[in-house]
Amino acid sequence: MLFQASSILSLLALTGVLSAASIRPQKRTSVSDISLWGYGAYSNGAKIFYSEGLAYIGLTGLDDVTGVQTNITFTEDPNDTTVPWTITANSSTVTFNETLYMYIVPDSGNMTQVGFAANGSVPDGGVTTGFAWFGKNVAYAASESDYEMMFWGLNTTTEGVFGLYWNGGSLLDGAFPVTVKSTAPTHPTS
């Protein structure tokens, strides 16, 4: 049986279009269960955790906490910096009563601790949107062309636990730069 050349060309063209459509990258929506680690001079690869509404870096929790303290995971939309990053308690004994968003205060003129709050409870000047990935590093997209990574660590009263800060201005004594990443350490951190 002979086929006409136009039929074969039409079939080949249709096959090519269908193949191209099937391998086209699909946009992901939100990604959940992301753990974040802080890398710096004193916190090399320690997890970021929640304690009483604020972000900390450490292998253990704070010694003097009377409220909620827990490991957390993040949910984010890798394609949209206008979607806040939410947190979930990574614990069988802790749950949050409301949706909590990570926030920073980018333009305060001071270093302020990174925190977690419901949208109506974010401090003045705080933002819950603008977070993005710069490779495996967490950045704040101040604009489409300005990605900032100004995270800092600062000692707490518990050895080996550091507050996670955003530098919106002047440095506090003892602060050290921190890179926040989605990559777990490949070596023991203790």
Side-chain angles (χ1 to χ4, degrees):
M1 174 189 256
L2 295 174
F3 293 99
Q4 290 185 343
S6 63
S7 297
I8 291 173
L9 290 175
S10 296
L11 183 60
L12 287 174
L14 181 59
T15 303
V17 167
L18 291 175
S19 294
S22 67
I23 61 172
R24 185 174 18 160
Q26 300 295 315
K27 275 190 148 185
R28 294 185 293 175
T29 54
S30 66
V31 178
S32 58
D33 295 326
I34 300 168
S35 293
L36 296 179
W37 284 266
Y39 291 85
Y42 306 107
S43 65
N44 205 13
K47 262 194 175 178
I48 294 174
F49 67 92
Y50 170 99
S51 184
E52 298 180 334
L54 296 173
Y56 292 88
I57 307 164
L59 299 176
T60 64
L62 292 165
D63 291 337
D64 56 352
V65 172
T66 57
V68 174
Q69 178 170 257
T70 184
N71 286 324
I72 54 175
T73 57
F74 294 78
T75 300
E76 55 89 19
D77 184 334
N79 301 309
D80 192 348
T81 60
T82 65
V83 176
W85 289 20
T86 61
I87 63 166
T88 303
N90 190 11
S91 168
S92 60
T93 59
V94 175
T95 57
F96 298 123
N97 295 329
E98 57 192 337
T99 301
L100 297 179
Y101 304 99
M102 181 170 77
Y103 71 82
I104 61 171
V105 183
D107 298 320
S108 69
N110 298 306
M111 283 182 65
T112 52
Q113 194 160 359
V114 176
F116 308 101
N119 253 349
S121 302
V122 174
D124 288 344
V127 295
T128 59
T129 61
F131 299 109
W133 295 106
F134 190 76
K136 297 282 183 183
N137 301 333
V138 176
Y140 170 63
S143 69
E144 284 185 24
S145 62
D146 182 15
Y147 279 52
E148 299 173 353
M149 292 180 280
M150 299 189 325
F151 291 104
W152 291 78
L154 191 62
N155 285 325
T156 65
T157 56
T158 302
E159 186 176 339
V161 177
F162 308 92
L164 179 63
Y165 284 76
W166 182 262
N167 182 14
S170 59
L171 290 177
L172 297 174
D173 286 340
F176 59 94
V178 171
T179 300
V180 175
K181 300 180 112 180
S182 62
T183 307
T186 58
H187 57 79
T189 56
S190 55

